[in-house]
Amino acid sequence: MGDAARFADVELLLRRAGPLAHAAFEAGPENGAFIASQCRVLVIGAGGLGCELLKDLALSGFARIDIVDMDVIDVSNLNRQFLFRAHDVGRSKAEVAAAFVRARVPRCNVTAHNADITQLPADFYRQFNLVVSGLDSIDARRWLNAFLFSLLERDATSGEIDPASIIPLVDGGTEGFLGQARVIIPGFLACFECTLDLFPPQRNFPLCTIANTPRLPEHCIEYAHVVLWPDVRHGERFDADDPAHVQWVFERALARATQYGIQNVTLRLTQGVVKNVIPAVASTNAVIAAVCAHECLKLASYLAPSMNNYMMYNGEAGVYSYTYQNQRRPDCAVCGVPVPRRLGISAGSTLNELLDLIAADAELRARSPSLRWISGHALYYSAPPALHVQTSANAERSLIDLFRAWHMQNGLAPDARDAANESENGPVVDAQRSPPVMKLSVADPHLPHVREVHVELL
Amino acid sequence: MSQLRGSDESVSGDAACLEEKEKTRSKMAQPSSAGRYDRQLRVWGERGQELVERARICLIGSSATGTETIKNLVLPGVGAVQVMDTQSPSCGLRSHGCYGATDASHTGATHSTADADTTQICAARDLGSNFFVTEDDVRHGRPRAVAVAHWLQELNDAVVCTAEHISLDELLEKLDADNERGKSGVEMWVAQFSVLVVAQMPFSERAPLRRLAAACWSARVPLVWCRSYGHYGMVRVIDREILTYSGGGGEGADARQPLDASVTGSASPELWPELHAFYDSFDFAALDSAATRLVPYPVILSKALHEWREKHNGGEDHHAFPNLRKHRTELQQILDGWRKSPQCDEENFDEAMRKLRLICDVRPGELQHGLAPLVADAEHMCGICGEEQEVCGGSGSGTGRDVSGLKNIHSQPPEAAMHRMRSRAHYWLFLRCVRAFVDQFGDVPVTAALPDMVSDTESYVALQRIFHARARLDVERMTALMRQQQIKDSARCSRMRLLPASARERLLVEPDAEQHVAYLCKSLRGFRATRTRAPDDTRYGRHPEDSELVAQSNNSGGGTGGEKDDGVEFAVCALLFAADAFHELQGRFPGQPPLRALPVDASDDQQVAFFSEQLVEEDCALFRGVAQSVAAQMALSPQGVALDGNLIKEFVRCGAAELHTVASVVGGVAAQEAVKLLTGQFQPLNNTFIFDGVRGASASFIA
């Protein structure tokens, strides 16, 4: 059926001059034609946001869409991922979503990629004019953001970014009745990493509470998950998506709760604790995905200037949203000039405690890091297994010990700043003496780049 | 599975048909529904879900905006939805194909053909904006409401989706005629729904929506009015009084609630001997430093208060209240004195310091969290029907005012109306009894949930047991008070007397209503009554809480810091009303092509004519005049509404286009509001939300 008739609503805007349109907007039938036949959009994630995005883009006139997701459909998706039916459970999300939209909107060419986003080659990403993501994982969004930045090409002499290498990223996220949407122009606007502190790191229960003074059902569940599982089923990787594993944790947690007189350990709570389940409803996904898709339409047609550049949305108390400009961080680990991350920890702490600190740090969030001295010598490897075995003994050693041992090994006299060593008879007054600093480089699959970290031993 | 209804047999008579379907639905209730709904149960809880599943929703206006709203309600599993369109179809199912053989019996039905407007039949233009209309529907010329109901049904077997083929004009006409004959009226018709959603309908003075909104207002049916207009969207909630219980029913919701004064021991021991016995079992002098570090902070606070009273007046006055700044300092000194190792971290003492307000600022029995005005309001409410006492009884003037539609609701209430009446009644009854409860037992009922705190397991579990036992006792006491009050009220409530006996029983608090009353007790701190503007109220103003929320988000969000400027949204709101005024004069919206739909095989010339920019120029001049006079009547901000010339032109050039993206934003927000109205959780929108797609921003305010 004729596109002009079908898309009369969008075309009314695309074919008439508008005073609020972007300066580069030129009204005419070419806009709709570009969106339909040339503009290629990549949708990352075929979940709650992804299903909505596909629908929104297809009904905004986009007809060359690719979608990537490596997940399969679960029954708990059906309350919002409206392209899936009960009989689709177990099938690829990307494939089912693409097939549904192709059938409903035959002019729209949707290609599915049942794949891990990190495994697709750079040339795959380079095909697209726009990337829009609906991912629930912060790690995946960090990776995508850093990757699109790495695709930028600069002029060899002037250092200026080649505009053709820029792929704008429109990103959305939701939790319950809350959400956010943003536009990232790599190299120009604040990127995901610049504003990582918008997402507080996951709260963990202190291990001593879990082990010694459990009070809440969550404490019992974490005990079964963090302490009992590695103890009893050593070597076996815990998989939060395996119902048998979750059931095992649930039963152990229930036993512990009974022993302590703690109530309300349920299977649902167990799933929530071990899997970090994010509450999700259809309506919020609809809002956020549509805001993102509207930004795609604007980016592809200049129908209006892009959102500048971040919108937070809160539907819990009335409807409140706030759109403002996030600033770039000059020291952003992705798009700026990173400076070493400074951490402080008591000198007597073990390396394990330092690893916890690095995992919980709002900027690093490296949960399985490998640490090297800045000189290149190994300190601790989380992978591969051979290196892990070699360095795992360090995990229980105190940081000050490791610090001294490294100095000895390298034939250096214990550092003049080694406060712990010289506090009794050192000539320098304590207050003026700076604490010893471990200069480390941290590599982690969750980090976009190797980061230099300076750990002050207090 | 097809749930189509091809018959137009009656308007209010469809209740029977729906109820039958609802019965079959409950028989095949899915065992996997807990799995299916897991992610939303974590938002609104089991009770919220139960209320969602009980709901019956009516949509009027089945274009993209309304359809998206309903999609977001079918997915979470509302009980039933009925889809209607605003205008009459020029033809019905008779000459066209249906989806399934089971519909054969309906295909003979004929439909009223009030006008020849074709907007209600699936058209090519719907394909470009409504995901729940297919090419097949267009080929077969199916009524759009039918197609939408059919494709929405696919999303969730547990929902009953039906389509009604009658225009709103005809419906109102028929219902008014019924009303004159003493039968049901518009009020009775709307009363069968839990929420009414209307989409893409003008609100101008003579618009049928006004009539409908007035009926909803008097029958207390919440109305959610949505529209998408070019880059702009709007949601407005209209309801006389929205009663909400809590900030949300998901897991962990309780733990956020503060403790009451009585728990920290500031109430006198005779009011809660078990708790004070527990506190007395601790003796700081006998505890080593490791044990001291694990004493729960309510124990610490209680003992500190006791010691303070001893010091202050020799313990004479058991009710001395440390309300002065210097008292707080004295208490802090007492706490510091008990620390075993001031340099070592004793987190429980830190917690006690932070919670000092529980004994300094909160007098036992004092109503906190905005409860006092609600409890005062409750004094005037009837505990049977939930209306003001002077409406339902006492003065005798009450039901005499009712139009016959309302009389019918009172004598034969539809299920949704019955549920509404019961919820309201119990809400106000509970609040009314809070006063009596405090007088009798010294403080508000205890919540069973104890927040986490530093403690050894044994003390915490012991405290929790004392807590649970007291909460159970308080629920029993409260239930008894509510039942007593109802007995008194039942003697004078005239509405109760109108009801059939079976319905009367349902209004009563049963002796075993503990679970229900426990929920009310648990929610006490979240009670809130939101009263929105009446549909015909033309005063306008600013959302009083908006600036507060802006301040909060600026403090926490790392934003630019400046005060959020909602000037554009005010202007958009004014222009939407102006567009309706224009529509009333011209029969179309500004910049809207006179031809509603472009032929599928339109020539280039036809296309140019359709998208004509000349029309934009012409309409701009006209629209500016209308807009200025509408805006002059609105005082959305102290400075008045500034109408930017560019914004006016943007409004005209879009020609009232319904973009799918904007429709989907609006549908999401409207569905969120509907869920809040159904579950009584979260805080509803009061009353207008405006989306501005040009900036990717929004605002809400009272308009």
Side-chain angles (χ1 to χ4, degrees):
Chain A
M1 285 180 211
D3 267 9
R6 180 194 289 255
F7 285 101
D9 287 278
V10 188
E11 291 288 342
L12 273 168
L13 277 85
L14 293 177
R15 294 195 189 198
R16 287 166 161 189
L20 300 182
H22 190 285
F25 179 70
E26 281 178 48
E30 299 76 18
N31 292 318
F34 171 77
I35 289 170
S37 50
Q38 284 177 52
C39 188
R40 294 197 56 188
V41 187
L42 176 63
V43 179
I44 312 248
L49 286 168
C51 285
E52 289 280 342
L53 282 168
L54 272 190
K55 171 201 71 162
D56 296 343
L57 292 169
L59 293 190
S60 297
F62 291 94
R64 299 185 71 189
I65 307 173
D66 288 53
I67 185 158
V68 191
D69 199 311
M70 63 188 290
D71 264 0
V72 295
I73 297 161
D74 180 77
V75 65
S76 67
N77 301 146
L78 302 178
N79 79 323
R80 63 197 185 284
Q81 299 175 15
F82 64 97
L83 303 176
F84 310 144
R85 305 286 170 262
H87 57 79
D88 294 323
V89 168
R91 297 176 61 198
S92 150
K93 281 188 176 179
E95 282 165 15
V96 174
F100 193 101
V101 172
R102 280 196 305 263
R104 182 60 58 89
V105 189
R107 74 188 280 283
C108 187
N109 190 357
V110 188
T111 310
H113 306 271
N114 184 8
D116 177 347
I117 55 167
T118 63
Q119 301 304 311
L120 293 163
D123 279 342
F124 171 79
Y125 286 95
R126 287 201 183 96
Q127 307 170 78
F128 297 99
N129 302 74
L130 271 174
V131 175
V132 50
S133 65
L135 292 162
D136 53 7
S137 142
I138 304 288
D139 295 334
R141 289 155 83 182
R142 281 177 92 182
W143 180 88
L144 180 67
N145 173 65
F147 187 77
L148 292 179
F149 186 84
S150 76
L151 294 182
L152 291 180
E153 285 163 22
R154 287 168 197 273
D155 184 278
T157 48
S158 72
E160 272 178 32
I161 294 170
D162 174 7
S165 67
I166 300 170
I167 307 176
L169 169 63
V170 181
D171 175 77
T174 68
E175 174 168 358
F177 277 16
L178 315 177
Q180 39 89 12
R182 61 157 69 183
V183 176
I184 296 169
I185 311 287
F188 290 88
L189 297 180
C191 78
F192 194 80
E193 198 77 15
C194 289
T195 55
L196 197 59
D197 54 1
L198 290 169
F199 304 92
Q202 205 187 324
R203 191 180 65 109
N204 289 318
F205 298 104
L207 195 64
C208 66
T209 300
I210 295 169
N212 303 322
T213 57
R215 298 176 296 269
L216 302 181
E218 288 88 343
H219 296 154
C220 302
I221 295 165
E222 275 295 77
Y223 183 80
H225 177 212
V226 183
V227 180
L228 285 182
W229 180 275
D231 228 39
V232 179
R233 306 189 54 157
H234 38 86
E236 205 175 340
R237 213 183 116 262
F238 178 79
D239 178 4
D241 288 321
D242 185 335
H245 288 192
V246 178
Q247 183 69 27
W248 188 93
V249 167
F250 166 59
E251 284 164 13
R252 297 305 178 287
L254 195 59
R256 185 167 169 87
T258 313
Q259 178 197 337
Y260 280 98
I262 296 168
Q263 291 177 343
N264 297 328
V265 170
T266 62
L267 186 59
R268 186 186 301 152
L269 185 65
T270 307
Q271 287 162 339
V273 172
V274 300
K275 213 180 150 179
N276 186 27
V277 173
I278 300 169
V281 296
S283 49
T284 317
N285 283 323
V287 174
I288 296 300
V291 169
C292 290
H294 196 67
E295 291 305 317
C296 291
L297 178 62
K298 293 195 302 189
L299 280 164
S301 67
Y302 290 124
L303 201 50
S306 286
M307 171 199 290
N308 189 12
N309 49 28
Y310 181 92
M311 175 201 228
M312 62 75 78
Y313 174 90
N314 182 341
E316 287 186 351
V319 183
Y320 180 74
S321 89
Y322 189 35
T323 302
Y324 63 89
Q325 185 179 13
N326 268 324
Q327 303 295 328
R328 285 183 74 180
R329 268 183 76 152
D331 62 345
C332 170
V334 170
C335 73
V337 182
V339 296
R341 177 72 176 157
R342 302 189 74 85
L343 300 174
I345 191 166
S346 82
S349 311
T350 62
L351 182 61
N352 253 339
E353 284 167 302
L354 176 62
L355 293 174
D356 285 344
L357 188 68
I358 288 173
D361 182 67
E363 212 175 288
L364 298 171
R365 305 183 202 207
R367 288 195 298 279
S368 40
S370 293
L371 311 182
R372 287 180 304 155
W373 296 97
I374 202 80
S375 59
H377 294 81
L379 178 59
Y380 176 83
Y381 279 96
S382 56
L387 285 173
H388 176 69
V389 170
Q390 279 181 32
T391 54
S392 62
N394 284 344
E396 291 302 326
R397 293 179 64 186
S398 83
L399 295 174
I400 193 72
D401 272 2
L402 289 164
F403 183 76
R404 285 183 192 142
W406 180 76
H407 275 268
M408 303 292 273
Q409 244 174 37
N410 288 276
L412 303 169
D415 196 299
R417 295 172 303 148
D418 188 340
N421 203 30
E422 292 190 354
S423 56
E424 270 108 44
N425 49 9
V428 187
V429 186
D430 275 352
Q432 290 176 354
R433 181 181 296 162
S434 50
V437 177
M438 297 170 77
K439 294 187 176 173
L440 307 174
S441 69
V442 176
D444 185 275
H446 303 112
L447 276 175
H449 301 293
V450 174
R451 273 302 289 276
E452 188 172 338
V453 176
H454 293 182
V455 184
E456 280 187 42
L457 302 182
L458 305 167
Chain B
M1 181 176 91
S2 177
Q3 292 284 357
L4 293 184
R5 263 197 75 224
S7 123
D8 68 342
E9 41 165 331
S10 82
V11 179
S12 47
D14 71 315
C17 169
L18 261 183
E19 264 158 35
E20 199 172 297
K21 283 187 176 169
E22 277 161 28
K23 267 181 219 152
T24 43
R25 178 178 71 92
S26 61
K27 268 184 221 149
M28 41 184 217
Q30 298 183 339
S32 65
S33 73
R36 183 186 188 105
Y37 296 140
D38 178 82
R39 296 302 185 268
Q40 70 200 42
L41 287 168
R42 294 171 195 271
V43 178
W44 52 68
E46 304 271 0
R47 186 188 162 87
Q49 184 63 26
E50 207 182 294
L51 292 165
V52 166
E53 289 179 23
R54 187 194 277 270
R56 293 183 59 182
I57 313 284
C58 179
L59 167 68
I60 303 179
S62 68
S63 65
T65 308
T67 303
E68 285 298 311
T69 307
I70 299 301
K71 176 205 88 192
N72 298 327
L73 294 171
V74 169
L75 284 165
V78 295
V81 301
Q82 178 178 317
V83 184
M84 281 178 62
D85 244 316
T86 49
Q87 270 126 10
S88 193
S90 56
C91 49
L93 284 173
R94 181 166 42 153
S95 54
H96 303 288
C98 273
Y99 294 103
T102 48
D103 295 311
S105 59
H106 295 310
T107 53
T110 52
H111 303 281
S112 38
T113 53
D115 63 33
D117 194 320
T118 54
T119 54
Q120 213 203 12
I121 294 299
C122 294
R125 191 167 174 174
D126 291 310
L127 295 174
S129 63
N130 194 331
F131 196 72
F132 298 90
V133 171
T134 66
E135 304 206 344
D136 190 54
D137 296 324
V138 176
R139 270 194 296 276
H140 285 92
R142 293 193 179 104
R144 191 175 59 192
V146 170
V148 163
H150 175 81
W151 297 115
L152 285 176
Q153 180 66 71
E154 261 199 0
L155 301 182
N156 195 342
D157 288 347
V159 183
V160 179
C161 297
T162 56
E164 185 70 60
H165 313 157
I166 185 165
S167 80
L168 183 57
D169 289 318
E170 285 174 293
L171 175 75
L172 294 174
E173 214 172 283
K174 176 174 163 18
L175 291 170
D176 283 339
D178 283 350
N179 197 23
E180 265 160 39
R181 279 179 276 132
K183 285 169 68 186
S184 65
V186 185
E187 283 81 4
M188 184 68 171
W189 183 78
V190 297
Q192 64 182 310
F193 300 108
S194 317
V195 172
L196 220 77
V197 179
V198 294
Q200 300 299 77
M201 289 174 71
F203 203 68
S204 46
E205 250 159 63
R206 292 196 301 277
L209 178 54
R210 288 279 176 121
R211 176 83 180 81
L212 196 69
C216 287
W217 188 261
S218 54
R220 292 195 180 282
V221 178
L223 181 74
V224 180
W225 171 39
C226 346
R227 62 193 304 179
S228 310
Y229 200 104
H231 279 294
Y232 306 101
M234 173 175 193
V235 177
R236 183 165 173 179
V237 174
I238 303 173
D239 193 2
R240 254 197 288 171
E241 191 167 67
I242 305 162
L243 302 177
T244 45
Y245 300 85
S246 68
E251 273 153 19
D254 317 332
R256 288 196 295 267
Q257 297 192 341
L259 286 176
D260 292 312
S262 56
V263 175
T264 48
S266 58
S268 49
E270 60 269 23
L271 288 175
W272 197 345
E274 302 84 359
L275 185 68
H276 284 266
F278 173 74
Y279 290 159
D280 290 343
S281 69
F282 288 83
D283 177 6
F284 282 117
L287 294 176
D288 63 16
S289 69
T292 306
R293 225 179 291 169
L294 292 173
V295 176
Y297 76 81
V299 180
I300 301 176
L301 284 178
S302 164
K303 286 190 168 294
L305 183 66
H306 184 74
E307 175 129 340
W308 179 82
R309 281 177 179 154
E310 292 279 318
K311 278 189 181 162
H312 223 248
N313 53 13
E316 291 287 296
D317 182 359
H318 291 300
H319 302 286
F321 188 67
N323 56 340
L324 301 176
R325 185 176 289 270
K326 65 167 186 172
H327 296 159
R328 184 184 275 262
T329 317
E330 287 161 9
L331 279 162
Q332 283 169 347
Q333 283 161 355
I334 292 173
L335 289 179
D336 281 332
W338 285 342
R339 290 195 186 233
K340 288 280 150 91
S341 43
Q343 74 279 18
C344 185
D345 51 345
E346 289 167 323
E347 287 179 60
N348 53 340
F349 278 89
D350 298 341
E351 280 182 342
M353 283 289 191
R354 283 199 298 273
K355 305 275 183 177
L356 263 183
R357 53 165 290 273
L358 286 174
I359 50 177
C360 292
D361 307 343
V362 188
R363 267 175 204 275
E366 206 172 76
L367 295 175
Q368 293 280 302
H369 314 286
L371 257 184
L374 279 178
V375 168
D377 285 351
E379 294 297 318
H380 314 289
M381 306 302 281
C382 169
I384 298 287
C385 70
E387 294 295 332
E388 287 194 37
Q389 285 161 18
E390 65 173 47
V391 173
C392 74
S395 64
S397 63
T399 52
R401 290 207 307 258
D402 291 347
V403 291
S404 71
L406 281 178
K407 266 188 195 146
N408 279 309
I409 296 171
H410 302 144
S411 54
Q412 312 145 359
E415 174 54 35
M418 194 64 212
H419 173 71
R420 221 169 359 247
M421 196 191 289
R422 182 178 196 272
S423 312
R424 278 186 63 78
H426 288 190
Y427 190 96
W428 288 119
L429 176 65
F430 176 82
L431 282 171
R432 206 165 150 202
C433 294
V434 165
R435 170 70 64 210
F437 190 97
V438 171
D439 291 346
Q440 221 171 322
F441 305 110
D443 205 346
V444 294
V446 162
T447 309
L450 189 66
D452 190 30
M453 58 188 70
V454 175
S455 165
D456 60 299
T457 304
E458 202 186 327
S459 306
Y460 184 83
V461 170
L463 191 56
Q464 205 172 39
R465 288 223 174 91
I466 294 170
F467 232 65
H468 275 280
R470 173 63 171 225
R472 254 200 311 277
L473 176 66
D474 282 359
V475 166
E476 274 169 36
R477 289 163 162 175
M478 199 66 192
T479 311
L481 283 175
M482 288 169 76
R483 286 172 56 79
Q484 283 162 18
Q485 185 62 49
Q486 274 200 326
I487 291 169
K488 285 185 217 157
D489 286 353
S490 63
R492 61 168 179 244
C493 177
S494 62
R495 292 204 172 167
M496 181 175 185
R497 286 195 293 276
L498 283 173
L499 287 173
S502 60
R504 274 184 226 175
E505 302 228 323
R506 284 191 51 196
L507 292 175
L508 301 178
V509 178
E510 292 112 24
D512 58 351
E514 260 105 31
Q515 210 189 341
H516 176 50
V517 178
Y519 175 77
L520 295 171
C521 288
K522 195 183 92 173
S523 313
L524 186 58
R525 285 157 204 82
F527 274 49
R528 175 188 290 268
T530 307
R531 288 142 193 154
T532 78
R533 287 246 160 105
D536 52 359
D537 187 344
T538 47
R539 292 169 297 128
Y540 301 93
R542 185 79 206 271
H543 196 312
E545 280 152 16
D546 215 29
S547 52
E548 226 174 89
L549 283 165
V550 171
Q552 278 171 19
S553 82
N554 283 348
N555 291 339
S556 63
T560 51
E563 164 78 1
K564 187 176 170 225
D565 177 14
D566 296 336
V568 176
E569 284 88 349
F570 291 146
V572 168
C573 180
L575 289 177
L576 283 168
F577 281 97
D580 287 350
F582 185 101
H583 187 275
E584 195 152 273
L585 293 170
Q586 304 286 322
R588 61 177 178 84
F589 289 105
Q592 188 177 36
L595 188 66
R596 273 288 288 128
L598 190 64
V600 171
D601 49 2
S603 68
D604 285 357
D605 285 350
Q606 276 175 311
Q607 293 193 22
V608 170
F610 186 83
F611 298 111
S612 157
E613 299 211 43
Q614 169 137 28
L615 183 72
V616 177
E617 295 302 324
E618 288 165 14
D619 280 2
C620 260
L622 253 173
F623 184 54
R624 189 169 293 119
V626 176
Q628 269 152 2
S629 77
V630 169
Q633 297 163 30
M634 302 177 88
L636 285 169
S637 78
Q639 297 81 35
V641 180
L643 291 182
D644 179 71
N646 284 341
L647 186 64
I648 292 179
K649 181 156 186 226
E650 179 64 42
F651 247 76
V652 177
R653 78 124 174 181
C654 78
E658 189 175 9
L659 300 187
H660 182 79
T661 45
V662 175
S664 191
V665 171
V666 169
V669 172
Q672 257 183 6
E673 289 310 312
V675 166
K676 293 183 201 172
L677 292 163
L678 296 174
T679 59
Q681 293 178 23
F682 301 100
Q683 197 177 315
L685 168 69
N686 187 8
N687 61 2
T688 301
F689 162 85
I690 297 283
F691 175 68
D692 168 13
V694 172
R695 293 181 303 139
S698 83
S700 41
F701 43 83
I702 294 174

